[in-house]
Amino acid sequence: MTIAALAAALLSDAGAQAQTTPTGNAAPTSDSAIMVTIFFKHDQSRPLSELNAQLGRQGFYKAFPPEGVEVVSWYVMMGVGQVVTLRLPASRLREVNRVIENSAWGAYHTEFYSTYDYKAVGVDKHEKAKQ
């Protein structure tokens, strides 16, 4: 039992350190900005007109995204629904979650993923590999 407690303490300490210490190309931001990708999966047991009516009644498009939250991308993924990537101060994550709980649930099943912009690094590595 002592070993399990020690292991849990080490893991929780390592997790906290990983979240607060930037590594590699990561740069801290003054407002602790994070990016989150949200999958809004359509309830395919109901017609789209019904889903849109529910989103309207619940005020989804009026409430989402909250004022001051940056939309990085917003795509329709055929057969899935909508995929939205947001950039926001970490302190506003709960607010974004509550807006989704109050205005999207029922029409969508949601999944959240931490996201970061890797395009410049990936393109650079690709270019170097071609040389």
Side-chain angles (χ1 to χ4, degrees):
M1 186 155 208
T2 305
I3 293 173
L6 179 59
L10 288 172
L11 287 174
S12 67
D13 188 38
Q17 193 173 31
Q19 291 176 0
T20 58
T21 307
T23 59
N25 293 327
T29 59
S30 61
D31 65 346
S32 300
I34 61 170
M35 288 180 21
V36 177
T37 296
I38 307 162
F39 278 53
F40 291 100
K41 294 183 172 187
H42 292 132
D43 177 354
Q44 294 182 1
S45 69
R46 298 165 50 206
L48 183 59
S49 59
E50 191 177 306
L51 297 174
N52 284 332
Q54 180 176 357
L55 291 169
R57 286 190 308 275
Q58 294 173 184
F60 175 71
Y61 289 108
K62 184 176 183 178
F64 183 84
E67 189 71 34
V69 170
E70 177 188 355
V71 175
V72 175
S73 63
W74 193 327
Y75 295 99
V76 169
M77 185 179 290
M78 293 182 348
V80 174
Q82 298 181 31
V83 180
V84 181
T85 300
L86 304 174
R87 182 179 290 116
L88 59 138
S91 62
R92 297 194 61 199
L93 183 60
R94 181 172 188 236
E95 174 189 357
V96 169
N97 184 58
R98 293 290 294 176
V99 164
I100 291 167
E101 289 176 345
N102 289 327
S103 66
W105 282 10
Y108 293 120
H109 301 279
T110 57
E111 294 179 15
F112 293 77
Y113 299 94
S114 300
T115 310
Y116 59 93
D117 188 349
Y118 193 73
K119 182 179 178 181
V121 175
V123 168
D124 182 57
K125 287 181 182 230
H126 174 72
E127 291 301 321
K128 286 179 180 174
K130 291 189 333 185
Q131 296 172 356

